[in-house]
Amino acid sequence: MNNQSETVPAPSPEDGEVPVSGNPFVRALKWIGLTIAVGLALHSIFIAYYGQYVNPEMIRAGALFLCAVVVVFTSSLANEKFFSGSVLGTLAWVIDFALAANLGFACLNFLNKIDDIENLVVNFSTLDQWSALMAIVALLEFTRRTFGLILAAVGALSLLYCLFGQDLPWFFRHSGFSLELTMEIIWYGLQGVFGFPTGIVVLLVFIFIVFGALLEGTGAGTVMIRMALAATSRTRGGPAHSAIIASSIFGMSSGSVTANVVGTGAVTIPLIKKRGFKPEFAGAVEAAASTGGQLMPPVMGAAAFLMTQLAGESYQTICIAALVPALLYYASLFVATGQEARRIGLKPYPKGERPKMERGDGLKSLMFFLPLVAIIVTLGMGRSPSMAGFWAVIVTIISAFALNPALRKDPKQLIVALAKGGVAGSRIMMAVGSIGVMIGVFELTGLGLKFATQVALLGEQTLFIALLLAAASCLVLGMGMPTLPAYLIVVLVLGLAMKKLGLPDLSVHLFVFYFGVLSAITPPVALAAVAAAPIAGGEPIRTGITALRLSLVGFIIPFVFVYEPSLLLVYDDFSLADFIWILFRLCLGVWLLTTAMSGFEMNRLPAWSRLLRLVAGFAMLVVIWELQVAAVAVGIALIVIEALRSKRQSAEAESASANT
């Protein structure tokens, strides 16, 4: 294996660079868009240190408009196949400029009227109403072109429901709202587009998106992949296991599952295939590992800091609570990959062929670890998450210049990374703006409260069914969205419903966060699998189904920590004995379920053993003590039986070989 070729590709022109060829007009606009993106990235660094330097409404409106301009200039409508002709291309640019101009006017109008709204003396003209409506349409369109149809369609349906829901039957019917009142809440008030989520993105999330882009762009990701390949060279899975380690480390700081898949998968997926795994499995491993990176403390794809604001818990508490479930998720993924390697007959690399770290990689790894230390130390000193993000960025830049000669030779990589972070943050802002539309609709119509009441009524009958309904809703709401928007929309829609079940706030937030994140590998959308499949040359749906199988434990763990809160370590009624008991059962259950799904332990498992393993694996997680004990006994017996059967088969094979 040639270690020199194991490098992460440079950012594509779509991410952070101006293309060197093509239409001069398009190149000029792309250059302007990326310049604004760099400015937004620098602004996020400034505001993380200095705080709000003007009133928050002005910051939110200005940031939303500039982010929209970045999206227009870097992801224009003219790029789509339908507008490929010169005439249609010109029409596309006219549409984009009209949408952006109206959005700017509507943002300025919002600022002009915010004081009057607070004093309840505002009057909205027809122009005010329709410009706000078209600004919302622009937000939904920009969301569609950056994150696909699903989120934009949900936002559009929410808006239509608000305007025409009085004609719907039963549970969904509301009293009816005029266009003026709808725009007052969604656009001109602080309950919709310019509400709390948008403010959180500007003040907190943006800085961590920039941090993730800098980590990747300054070379830290490349070093971590090489280190992961060297660390797993003695395992059967080899590069498949290295993908799990690299994606867990890089994914914890990246706020995007797909960016993690593409960034690490471009290197690891071809190596996994070369090792002997099928394309769908190679893509599924990377998709599952990249998705799990969002669950791993201390950064959790920046969601840990967002959760401190929404859940009202300290950063340290959230990290401690999330640690054991995340480690269990990756342990199950590691075991599943190893069992697949054993099933197809792979052996560890011969000693002479094992990947090795390059000279200086140990020192260069500090480019990744020093910023994480900066985050932990800053928060440990009692400073804000934003300040932690600021110091993480500063330490990343300093350590990269000090430790990476390639960056010193070509400082442009830093500008490209800032541009990439600005573009990624701008796209997130469009998604959060669309979520603001939904929040405004829920606020106005009371739909969220109605849904919460129905879930709570169901929970009075059986908590498990209510949790199943909530989990399914999280998966549906989170499909097709990056981590932070998925978590935001899920917790804002379902958080109230979960609280009505009488569950602690932190358990609620982690439950919905897990399923919001895992929606990235849940067919039919399975965004992470869709991103991994083309790299692997596999079929997206099969890749998604395989990723779902590999990540099965991730779908079980949230139910476990709801019923067994000791797993989260942070509650006052924590019991060490309960923690050890549930941890033992989970580890045993992971092994049983993994081997049952793969159909292989030491040798191929018979059908009856696979079925019993599935039953025992699930049964030992049920909150009935007698059933837990019985399932553990059955599970241990199955492992012992298989070990004896494997030993007997090996002895018979050796005897037959000796006789011949």
Side-chain angles (χ1 to χ4, degrees):
M1 182 179 297
N2 185 0
N3 293 327
Q4 301 297 327
S5 65
E6 294 163 9
T7 57
V8 177
S12 66
E14 288 73 29
D15 291 327
E17 295 181 330
V18 179
V20 295
S21 61
N23 189 314
F25 173 74
V26 174
R27 285 206 313 273
L29 291 181
K30 185 74 178 285
W31 186 90
I32 294 171
L34 293 177
T35 302
I36 297 173
V38 172
L40 286 168
L42 294 174
H43 175 265
S44 73
I45 299 171
F46 170 77
I47 201 171
Y49 178 79
Y50 191 84
Q52 297 188 121
Y53 50 92
V54 292
N55 67 72
E57 292 82 11
M58 184 173 294
I59 295 175
R60 295 176 192 181
L64 184 76
F65 172 65
L66 290 175
C67 288
V69 172
V70 170
V71 169
V72 168
F73 288 175
T74 60
S75 304
S76 67
L77 194 62
N79 289 340
E80 301 188 6
K81 291 181 180 179
F82 180 80
F83 295 96
S84 57
S86 59
V87 175
L88 290 176
T90 302
L91 176 62
W93 279 111
V94 170
I95 294 172
D96 269 349
F97 281 127
L99 290 174
N102 178 75
L103 182 64
F105 171 77
C107 288
L108 186 61
N109 210 14
F110 159 75
L111 293 175
N112 289 335
K113 294 184 180 298
I114 190 67
D115 290 335
D116 292 338
I117 292 172
E118 292 175 354
N119 295 323
L120 302 178
V121 294
V122 69
N123 212 359
F124 296 103
S125 66
T126 302
L127 176 62
D128 295 333
Q129 297 172 41
W130 281 95
S131 65
L133 178 62
M134 292 309 298
I136 292 172
V137 170
L139 271 182
L140 296 174
E141 162 57 19
F142 298 155
T143 301
R144 179 202 64 80
R145 69 179 67 168
T146 52
F147 290 115
L149 185 61
I150 294 177
L151 178 57
V154 172
L157 288 173
S158 300
L159 183 61
L160 292 172
Y161 169 71
C162 189
L163 294 172
F164 305 107
Q166 67 271 17
D167 299 323
L168 296 175
W170 182 58
F171 171 84
F172 300 100
R173 182 185 179 91
H174 60 67
S175 57
F177 305 100
S178 65
L179 178 62
E180 182 177 10
L181 180 58
T182 301
M183 292 302 104
E184 180 179 350
I185 297 297
I186 296 177
W187 186 263
Y188 291 107
L190 294 179
Q191 303 97 328
V193 171
F194 297 106
F196 178 73
T198 301
I200 287 292
V201 171
V202 175
L203 295 175
L204 179 60
V205 172
F206 215 115
I207 183 67
F208 283 97
I209 294 173
V210 172
F211 167 55
L214 285 171
L215 274 183
E216 181 184 359
T218 54
T222 305
V223 175
M224 295 313 300
I225 291 174
R226 282 203 299 267
M227 292 181 69
L229 285 166
T232 58
S233 62
R234 291 177 173 83
T235 68
R236 291 177 182 268
H241 282 144
S242 70
I244 295 171
I245 294 175
S247 296
S248 67
I249 294 173
F250 182 68
M252 70 174 69
S253 59
S254 167
S256 170
V257 172
T258 52
N260 195 9
V261 169
V262 174
T264 57
V267 175
T268 59
I269 289 176
L271 296 176
I272 296 171
K273 289 173 61 181
K274 186 178 179 180
R275 184 78 174 105
F277 293 97
K278 291 182 179 179
E280 285 79 12
F281 188 87
V285 168
E286 182 58 52
S290 295
T291 299
Q294 313 294 293
L295 308 173
M296 179 65 74
V299 182
M300 297 166 67
F305 308 101
L306 187 59
M307 205 175 290
T308 61
Q309 306 293 316
L310 298 177
E313 297 283 356
S314 69
Y315 167 79
Q316 292 87 343
T317 298
I318 290 170
C319 285
I320 293 170
L323 180 60
V324 174
L327 290 176
L328 286 168
Y329 174 88
Y330 272 105
S332 69
L333 194 54
F334 211 88
V335 168
T337 302
Q339 286 303 107
E340 178 67 14
R342 186 185 293 272
R343 187 186 68 82
I344 62 178
L346 296 182
K347 303 290 184 182
Y349 283 117
K351 189 173 182 180
E353 298 179 15
R354 292 173 185 170
K356 297 179 181 179
M357 292 172 55
E358 294 182 6
R359 184 178 180 181
D361 276 352
L363 188 61
K364 288 181 181 178
S365 68
L366 293 176
M367 291 191 296
F368 190 92
F369 292 113
L370 286 178
L372 296 184
V373 171
I375 290 173
I376 295 169
V377 170
T378 304
L379 291 169
M381 294 171 61
R383 306 301 297 273
S384 69
S386 297
M387 184 61 71
F390 168 80
W391 284 113
V393 167
I394 297 302
V395 171
T396 298
I397 295 172
I398 293 173
S399 61
F401 270 109
L403 299 172
N404 188 357
L407 185 63
R408 293 196 298 271
K409 291 178 182 177
D410 184 15
K412 177 192 169 188
Q413 295 177 33
L414 181 63
I415 305 299
V416 171
L418 287 171
K420 190 174 182 180
V423 171
S426 298
R427 292 170 178 171
I428 291 291
M429 183 67 86
M430 297 299 98
V432 171
S434 295
I435 291 171
V437 175
M438 300 175 223
I439 295 170
V441 170
F442 294 147
E443 179 82 17
L444 189 57
T445 63
L447 181 62
L449 182 60
K450 291 178 183 177
F451 182 78
T453 302
Q454 295 299 317
V455 172
L457 289 173
L458 184 60
E460 292 177 0
Q461 307 299 320
T462 167
L463 176 61
F464 181 70
I465 298 299
L467 289 174
L468 277 180
L469 175 62
S473 302
C474 292
L475 292 174
V476 172
L477 289 170
M479 283 183 181
M481 283 189 273
T483 301
L484 292 171
Y487 168 58
L488 263 177
I489 187 173
V490 167
V491 78
L492 292 171
V493 173
L494 285 171
L496 181 60
M498 299 285 288
K499 289 179 183 179
K500 281 182 171 288
L501 298 176
L503 302 176
D505 281 358
L506 184 54
S507 294
V508 167
H509 280 265
L510 285 175
F511 185 93
V512 300
F513 176 62
Y514 256 73
F515 283 103
V517 169
L518 291 172
S519 65
I521 49 172
T522 306
V525 178
L527 202 61
V530 170
I535 302 174
E539 200 277 321
I541 295 296
R542 289 181 181 175
T543 302
I545 293 172
T546 305
L548 191 66
R549 174 174 65 81
L550 292 172
S551 307
L552 176 64
V553 172
F555 292 84
I556 298 172
I557 287 174
F559 289 91
V560 174
F561 62 61
V562 165
Y563 284 102
E564 305 273 3
S566 291
L567 190 66
L568 299 182
L569 301 174
V570 296
Y571 290 120
D572 293 336
D573 58 351
F574 170 77
S575 166
L576 181 60
D578 289 344
F579 173 74
I580 293 173
W581 176 235
I582 182 58
L583 192 61
F584 170 73
R585 287 188 286 123
L586 266 173
C587 291
L588 181 58
V590 164
W591 179 259
L592 292 174
L593 293 173
T594 300
T595 53
M597 297 295 289
S598 66
F600 200 89
E601 195 173 52
M602 302 302 292
N603 292 289
R604 187 173 298 278
L605 294 172
W608 63 266
S609 180
R610 296 181 67 180
L611 179 60
L612 282 177
R613 285 166 185 262
L614 279 175
V615 172
F618 282 110
M620 68 180 60
L621 304 178
V622 175
V623 288
I624 301 173
W625 190 81
E626 294 81 3
L627 191 57
Q628 294 172 2
V629 173
V632 167
V634 171
I636 293 174
L638 288 169
I639 293 172
V640 170
I641 290 170
E642 177 59 23
L644 293 174
R645 188 172 76 95
S646 177
K647 186 176 181 180
R648 186 178 66 252
Q649 289 178 350
S650 298
E652 291 173 353
E654 289 178 5
S655 177
S657 177
N659 291 334
T660 57

